[in-house]
Amino acid sequence: MPRLKPSQDVQPLSAFRANAAGFLEQVRTTKRPLVLTQHGRSAAVVLDVDEYEALVEQVEVIRDIRDAKAEMSRGEGIAHEEIVAELRSRLQP
């Protein structure tokens, strides 16, 4: 995801309401998030759909890795050699 440019990518909610289509086009074109503020404080983030999906996928992979490491530390993992042997046996006719 491209880096946020505060001068362009932080806007008050009132400006977003007045020009929602323009800001959505900005998000689609730049792939940068748009931070909306309300009463001078950050209130919401608008993301391009593809960037959002990529972000969710990255989080899921990181969680899977964290869970796998925890399982391995508890001795619940399966040795690499065992998995390779199992897969080879399944692939042979």
Side-chain angles (χ1 to χ4, degrees), residues 11-91:
Q11 296 291 332
L13 182 58
S14 58
F16 182 78
R17 273 193 239 128
N19 188 19
F23 284 119
L24 290 177
E25 182 60 29
Q26 174 185 326
V27 168
R28 274 196 236 50
T29 302
T30 66
K31 304 296 185 191
R32 294 189 317 259
L34 177 66
V35 177
L36 301 177
T37 62
Q38 190 174 34
H39 306 296
R41 300 183 67 147
S42 56
V45 177
V46 179
L47 292 174
D48 174 74
V49 171
D50 292 335
E51 294 297 319
Y52 172 77
E53 288 174 348
L55 186 61
V56 168
E57 187 174 323
Q58 289 174 0
V59 169
E60 289 173 351
V61 168
I62 290 168
R63 285 180 178 161
D64 288 345
I65 291 169
R66 181 199 60 204
D67 293 346
K69 284 184 175 183
E71 288 175 5
M72 289 173 58
S73 70
R74 293 190 305 263
E76 297 172 359
I78 300 171
H80 175 75
E81 296 78 18
E82 289 179 51
I83 293 295
V84 170
E86 174 69 25
L87 291 174
R88 284 189 177 144
S89 70
R90 289 184 185 186
L91 292 174

